[in-house]
Amino acid sequence: MQVEIWSDVMCPFCYIGKRKFELALEQFPQKEKVQIIWKSFQLNPEMITDPEKTINQHLAEAKGWSLKQAEDANTYVTDIAKKVGLTYNLDKAIVANSFDAHRLSHLAKKYKKQDALEERLFLAYFTEGKNTADHNTLTSIATEIGLPENEVKALLSGTTYSEEVQKDIYEAQLVGVRGVPFFVFDRKYAISGAQDSSTFTEVLNSVWKETAVEELSANTDGTVCTPEGCD
């Protein structure tokens, strides 16, 4: 089974959704047969990295809110994160464009370390207050999970994987992504948002059973039968 996850490094619900999905996956008997692919999505492609601006200031400006409304919203999401074992220090978060982090994710995919990189990027942004647009920070994170330093530096100094990031974003429009996180299971079912782990469990089981039925219904003459009919 293939699970594609459209996500952005700076999306607080994406990290929460990752944890809820992982809880469901851990209890899924066929978890070793699930391939996870992270897809790029930018909530704010035009964002300018600004270490001097707090996340509350950024949110207030972006949403047209008061600073108090932004602070309340971030307190709310911090409390939700805590319920799934995450520690958000949003008062330390650095406003950062995520494009280079997404390019790095495509390199990590090449080495089958994409999930590890996404986890480390989330931790850096939401908990550690690191600048996830800074090339030294990205290099440190990438080498920490085992990516070759020379390839990381070459990527960050150029435009490698830029087209792949844009392709992911375009593809998101085609499959109907309006916000992230967005989970797509074998291109059959989709879950939008950081839903309860029980929702992920239900879809994992449904897709697995449907795939099993299709495989068992394949005749020796090449005819494939599904609940909808035979081809």
Side-chain angles (χ1 to χ4, degrees):
M1 184 192 305
Q2 185 180 89
V3 181
E4 297 163 290
I5 309 173
W6 273 268
S7 169
D8 196 4
V9 175
M10 59 171 290
C11 167
F13 286 100
C14 289
Y15 200 7
I16 293 168
K18 183 177 188 293
R19 277 293 181 274
K20 290 184 175 182
F21 172 68
E22 288 170 343
L23 178 59
L25 188 61
E26 185 61 31
Q27 299 170 343
F28 185 58
Q30 293 81 22
K31 63 182 179 181
E32 300 301 327
K33 297 182 180 180
V34 177
Q35 179 191 25
I36 299 172
I37 299 176
W38 288 88
K39 303 285 237 176
S40 305
F41 189 93
Q42 284 197 287
L43 291 170
N44 186 354
E46 307 303 321
M47 174 181 284
I48 298 174
T49 301
D50 186 355
E52 302 303 317
K53 182 180 291 184
T54 69
I55 198 67
N56 289 327
Q57 290 172 327
H58 164 72
L59 187 61
E61 292 174 6
K63 298 289 188 181
W65 293 347
S66 68
L67 195 58
K68 178 64 165 57
Q69 285 176 304
E71 291 171 350
D72 289 345
N74 281 326
T75 297
Y76 171 74
V77 76
T78 296
D79 290 340
I80 293 176
K82 191 179 299 183
K83 292 177 182 178
V84 293
L86 298 175
T87 300
Y88 280 9
N89 296 315
L90 294 179
D91 56 320
K92 295 167 53 178
I94 294 176
V95 175
N97 189 288
S98 59
F99 193 80
D100 283 344
H102 284 303
R103 291 200 298 127
L104 193 59
S105 181
H106 280 274
L107 176 63
K109 181 181 178 182
K110 171 185 172 182
Y111 288 97
K112 302 186 186 305
K113 292 181 178 292
Q114 205 178 23
D115 197 68
L117 178 68
E118 293 291 337
E119 175 68 27
R120 193 63 190 83
L121 287 169
F122 281 137
L123 181 67
Y125 185 89
F126 290 106
T127 303
E128 298 174 341
K130 293 184 177 180
N131 184 346
T132 52
D134 177 73
H135 287 187
N136 288 332
T137 299
L138 290 175
T139 299
S140 176
I141 289 172
T143 54
E144 179 184 319
I145 67 162
L147 295 183
E149 184 174 357
N150 62 326
E151 288 193 51
V152 173
K153 288 184 174 180
L155 178 150
L156 293 173
S157 65
T159 60
T160 306
Y161 292 120
S162 293
E163 290 185 6
E164 285 80 357
V165 173
Q166 296 293 359
K167 182 180 177 181
D168 279 356
I169 293 172
Y170 174 69
E171 192 177 10
Q173 299 173 2
L174 296 181
V175 300
V177 179
R178 296 293 178 266
V180 287
F182 194 87
F183 301 77
V184 177
F185 299 75
D186 272 352
R187 292 296 172 108
K188 297 176 181 178
Y189 297 92
I191 293 179
S192 179
Q195 303 291 336
D196 288 339
S197 58
S198 59
T199 301
F200 289 111
T201 297
E202 182 179 348
V203 174
L204 283 168
N205 287 324
S206 295
V207 174
W208 186 263
K209 289 178 182 177
E210 184 174 315
T211 301
V213 168
E214 291 174 355
E215 291 178 351
L216 289 172
S217 298
N219 297 326
T220 56
D221 62 358
T223 301
V224 177
C225 296
T226 69
E228 287 73 35
C230 297
D231 299 317

